[in-house]
Amino acid sequence: MSAQFDMSDVRRLERHLARSIPRMRRDARAVTMRGAMNVKNEWRSNARASSGRHAPAYPSSVGFDLASYGPDIVMATIGPDKGAAQGALGNLLEYGSSKNPPHRDGGRALDAETPRFEAQMALLAERGLAWW
């Protein structure tokens, strides 16, 4: 006695995933880029409001870098450039000191962006896995 299986759906899923993976990689990079840009812009806005006249150049020092580690890992590093004017104040302004409270400009920006970023990544996964 032998069993027979209709593998056409499995092959169709395989083809779909093979086409979806490059698109998902590209789209995930774009979502990461947009999220990093949103955090950077909100961090700068928060910093303008909290640093005031004491660190007027600090908000402009906030930027980001996007790095890929293989085809499936994209990472954004967001924060002040210590080489830029007043960028070295980043740790002091973000985390505070014994004499100054923390501003959490970057932390608040990241908190605001996280749900949007996660929703976009979930949408990419749903789109990539939907095949019927």
Side-chain angles (χ1 to χ4, degrees):
M1 182 154 105
S2 67
Q4 291 185 347
F5 297 97
D6 179 3
M7 296 295 289
S8 60
D9 281 343
V10 173
R11 284 192 282 287
R12 203 170 90 214
L13 175 60
E14 178 185 31
R15 285 190 305 274
H16 169 75
L17 291 175
R19 284 190 308 269
S20 295
I21 290 170
R23 184 177 59 242
M24 288 179 67
R25 284 177 175 154
R26 183 192 67 234
D27 292 349
R29 182 177 178 79
V31 168
T32 303
M33 174 73 85
R34 171 54 63 194
M37 183 71 75
N38 290 346
V39 171
K40 178 197 82 164
N41 290 339
E42 189 160 346
W43 189 332
R44 284 181 172 189
S45 176
N46 292 343
R48 275 192 285 283
S50 69
S51 63
R53 61 183 172 82
H54 301 292
Y58 169 68
S60 296
S61 74
V62 176
F64 72 92
D65 290 316
L66 210 60
S68 295
Y69 299 92
D72 297 322
I73 300 173
V74 177
M75 183 178 81
T77 304
I78 311 160
D81 177 355
K82 292 188 186 238
Q86 296 187 325
L89 294 174
N91 287 345
L92 178 64
L93 293 172
E94 186 68 14
Y95 303 111
S97 69
S98 60
K99 298 183 192 284
N100 298 297
H103 291 193
R104 276 201 81 244
D105 298 323
R108 289 182 289 131
L110 184 61
D111 290 345
E113 182 60 25
T114 297
R116 296 186 295 246
F117 178 79
E118 289 174 347
Q120 288 300 305
M121 286 300 196
L123 186 63
L124 287 180
E126 287 175 26
R127 233 186 272 144
L129 295 175
W131 63 285
W132 50 86

